[in-house]
Amino acid sequence: MNDKNASSRKIKIQNEDQLHAKIITDPEEQKLEAAFLIQKIDSVDIEKGFKNVSRRIEKKARFIHNINIISRVAAILLIPVLFLSVWYNVINKQNNQIETTYHTVNCPVGIKTQLSLPDGSLVWLNSGTTVKYQLPFTNKTRKIEMDGEAFFEIKKDRIPFIVNTGNAKVKVYGTEFNVKAYSSDNQIEVALKEGSIGFTATNNMDEKRLSPNDFLTFNKTTNAVETINQNINKYIAWRNNQLVFDETPLSEMALMLERWYGIQVEIKDDDLLRYKFTTTFENEPLLQVIELLELSSPIKIKYIPTKIDDQSNVISKAKIVINKK
């Protein structure tokens, strides 16, 4: 190979852009191109390339490691969140159950009973009385709902005690008192033995405070409230099994007898409604009460005992029929 050709080939090798820009057909030039590529490959910095790859692998490993740490921290933080969520749901469910849990006590007609409330307060239930209260009883308020008549001995507590009768409520400040509030009656009566209570009608926000021996009446029709201070023993004597009539009209006496003995009373003559009775019975059986009433007044009483219908098997209440003598 002469010098001219060698020089020409060197120029071609050095002029790399021109060499790559054209199609090489000459066999000698193809050999030189191959030698050039081999030389270029040999000149690659392998160590530098390895370092670059290592850095990339290390960077990716750090990224994965950080992701794992973040995942673990998130899982640890999630545990108390889940615990609080479960705790809240359980407590909320318990609170909802508390709001809808009630205990009801029914005292049948002709029966009187004593009830001890969860807070230690005592309640005497008269015949035909129903009371209902929420459990737990001392959650936020000590509140009972009642239909009938009851005497209360309330244990003092910072939590207020409220008696709800539907038409009115009695707020208690630690005391002994009687509430007569049958839904079938047109009047509510409250008698305070000792302590202090507040009476509020449903349609009136003003509270009426009562002092010992105050007797309050509330007319459901007129919403009239009257209070007098007097001897209230006759209004609370029933809890000691005393049936007290004190200038009591026959119509009212008949209702008291119905509830006390669980019977029906029929008054045959309207003229008898103007009669008033004053007497006291203590643990007297019905037949003896009938006999004593006949002896002390111009009335005649017929007693009709309980009967069972042969076809329906329905048991009828005992009945007394009051007539003039």
Side-chain angles (χ1 to χ4, degrees):
M1 188 182 308
N2 56 37
D3 294 338
K4 184 177 180 180
N5 290 335
S7 176
S8 175
R9 291 189 186 106
K10 287 181 182 179
I11 292 173
K12 291 180 184 295
I13 292 174
Q14 290 175 359
N15 193 345
E16 182 180 345
D17 293 336
Q18 293 178 1
L19 180 64
H20 291 177
K22 70 177 182 176
I23 298 175
I24 302 173
T25 58
D26 183 62
E28 292 297 330
E29 291 182 357
Q30 289 177 351
K31 291 179 181 180
L32 289 175
E33 173 67 10
F36 172 77
L37 292 175
I38 292 173
Q39 183 181 1
K40 186 174 182 181
I41 292 173
D42 289 341
S43 66
V44 172
D45 191 340
I46 297 176
E47 183 177 355
K48 183 178 180 181
F50 177 77
K51 288 182 180 180
N52 289 336
V53 173
S54 297
R55 279 197 298 270
R56 291 181 182 179
I57 294 175
E58 184 179 356
K59 184 177 181 181
K60 185 175 183 181
R62 282 199 303 270
F63 176 78
I64 295 174
H65 179 68
N66 291 336
I67 290 297
N68 290 335
I69 292 176
I70 293 173
S71 299
R72 292 175 183 176
V73 171
I76 294 173
L77 293 176
L78 185 61
I79 291 175
V81 173
L82 290 175
F83 174 77
L84 290 174
S85 177
V86 172
W87 177 82
Y88 174 79
N89 289 331
V90 170
I91 294 300
N92 189 51
K93 184 177 180 181
Q94 290 178 347
N95 288 336
N96 290 336
Q97 291 175 345
I98 287 173
E99 292 175 358
T100 57
T101 303
Y102 288 88
H103 182 64
T104 302
V105 179
N106 295 306
C107 185
V109 174
I111 303 295
K112 290 173 284 294
T113 189
Q114 182 180 344
L115 171 67
S116 179
L117 296 176
D119 68 335
S121 298
L122 299 177
V123 185
W124 285 261
L125 304 181
N126 204 348
S127 170
T129 299
T130 299
V131 297
K132 182 173 73 172
Y133 55 88
Q134 182 179 311
L135 295 174
F137 186 63
T138 56
N139 186 24
K140 291 182 179 179
T141 59
R142 298 180 295 168
K143 181 168 65 175
I144 74 166
E145 299 176 14
M146 67 164 287
D147 179 357
E149 183 172 17
F151 182 88
F152 298 86
E153 287 186 1
I154 303 303
K155 183 178 180 181
K156 291 184 178 181
D157 196 291
R158 60 180 180 81
I159 300 175
F161 190 103
I162 296 175
V163 180
N164 194 335
T165 68
N167 297 89
K169 70 177 181 180
V170 178
K171 189 172 183 180
V172 184
Y173 302 94
T175 186
E176 297 182 21
F177 63 103
N178 191 83
V179 177
K180 184 179 180 182
Y182 289 96
S183 57
S184 56
D185 290 355
N186 190 49
Q187 183 169 277
I188 294 175
E189 299 176 357
V190 180
L192 178 60
K193 182 179 179 182
E194 64 178 55
S196 178
I197 60 177
F199 178 89
T200 306
T202 302
N203 59 352
N204 191 343
M205 297 303 294
D206 294 333
E207 183 183 73
K208 176 69 176 179
R209 294 294 290 265
L210 276 69
S211 302
N213 291 318
D214 275 351
F215 177 69
L216 178 145
T217 59
F218 171 71
N219 190 297
K220 296 179 183 178
T221 303
T222 63
N223 296 324
V225 178
E226 295 183 6
T227 305
I228 58 174
N229 191 272
Q230 61 178 9
N231 189 327
I232 64 168
N233 287 337
K234 66 179 180 180
Y235 301 111
I236 62 176
W238 64 266
R239 76 181 181 116
N240 296 319
N241 292 317
Q242 292 181 340
L243 184 59
V244 178
F245 301 133
D246 183 16
E247 289 292 308
T248 305
L250 181 58
S251 58
E252 185 178 339
M253 186 185 77
L255 184 57
M256 293 173 67
L257 290 173
E258 285 183 341
R259 289 171 176 164
W260 194 274
Y261 293 103
I263 62 172
Q264 288 182 324
V265 178
E266 182 180 352
I267 302 173
K268 284 292 188 179
D269 195 328
D270 290 342
D271 289 341
L272 296 175
L273 296 177
R274 59 186 176 85
Y275 289 180
K276 295 182 179 181
F277 296 82
T278 300
T279 186
T280 299
F281 298 104
E282 186 171 358
N283 285 327
E284 303 287 351
L286 177 60
L287 293 179
Q288 188 168 348
V289 170
I290 291 174
E291 182 180 353
L292 292 172
L293 286 174
E294 285 184 327
L295 291 173
S296 61
S297 61
I299 61 174
K300 184 177 181 179
I301 302 175
K302 180 182 178 181
Y303 175 72
I304 302 174
T306 299
K307 291 183 179 181
I308 301 177
D309 188 279
D310 295 334
Q311 295 182 348
S312 62
N313 290 325
V314 175
I315 301 175
S316 62
K317 288 184 178 181
K319 182 178 181 179
I320 62 174
V321 180
I322 302 178
N323 264 309
K324 281 184 179 181
K325 282 184 179 178

